[in-house]
């Protein structure tokens, strides 16, 4: 990712929630990020949930990335198209729990009529030898020049 803001506290089981407005780039939230890679441009070790712009569609993905690996390992996705409306507020959530295996769930919701409505969801179980089974950092970010704007960001303890 090109831009990543993170909390310097390592946690294992976490639910990350970000409210944002989408542009034409990529918006993501990250968990179990390895401290040595969080501050480096274009490199990242950890899990993420992202809203990917694929042509004129927006899709939700869950993935695992090691360094500059591209494309990263997709654990689930793409989901069916996320209903997109310019200027609409969205809520992106990622929960990461467990160690062997690691369980991941993600949702993206649209704010409609004063309430959030689920637009897409994804889930994955990572039992790979390359899984991130230790606590790590968490954060949010964007890639490209799409105009994504994060309004709020919260991390909550999650039960394994």
């Amino acid at each position: 990712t090109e831009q990543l803001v993170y909390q310097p506290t390592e946690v294992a089981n976490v639910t990350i929630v970000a409210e944002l407005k989408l542009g034409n780039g990529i918006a993501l939230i990250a968990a179990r990020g390895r401290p040595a890679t969080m501050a480096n441009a274009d490199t990242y070790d950890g899990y993420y949930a992202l809203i990917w712009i694929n042509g004129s569609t927006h899709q939700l993905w869950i993935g695992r990335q090691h360094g500059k690996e591209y494309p990263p390992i997709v654990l689930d996705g793409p989901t069916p198209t996320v209903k997109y409306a310019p200027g609409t507020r969205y809520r992106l959530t990622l929960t990461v729990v467990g160690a062997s295996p690691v369980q991941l769930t993600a949702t993206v919701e649209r704010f409609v009529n004063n309430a959030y409505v689920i637009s897409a969801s994804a889930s994955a179980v990572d039992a790979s030898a390359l899984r991130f089974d230790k606590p790590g950092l968490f954060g949010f970010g964007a890639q490209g020049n799409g105009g994504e704007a994060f309004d709020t960001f919260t991390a909550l303890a999650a039960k394994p």
Side-chain angles (χ1 to χ4, degrees), residues 110-127:
R110 278 186 337 127
F111 194 70
V112 180
N113 296 327
N114 295 320
Y116 279 103
V117 178
I118 293 176
S119 184
S121 61
S123 63
V125 174
D126 189 3

Side-chain angles (χ1 to χ4, degrees), residues 94-106:
L94 172 65
T95 299
V96 180
V97 296
S100 184
V102 176
Q103 299 174 8
L104 303 101
T105 57

Side-chain angles (χ1 to χ4, degrees), residues 44-108:
Y44 172 67
D45 290 353
Y47 292 114
Y48 62 83
L50 62 80
I51 302 174
W52 174 270
I53 290 43
N54 186 6
S56 62
T57 64
H58 291 63
Q59 298 169 316
L60 175 65
W61 299 68
I62 295 177
R64 177 185 69 224
Q65 183 169 336
H66 290 273
K68 294 185 182 226
E69 170 184 54
Y70 192 85
I73 303 300
V74 174
L75 300 173
D76 191 23
T79 62
T81 301
V82 172
K83 193 167 187 175
Y84 174 67
T88 300
R89 193 166 69 211
Y90 291 84
R91 181 166 56 194
L92 180 59
T93 304
L94 172 65
T95 299
V96 180
V97 296
S100 184
V102 176
Q103 299 174 8
L104 303 101
T105 57
T107 59
V108 61

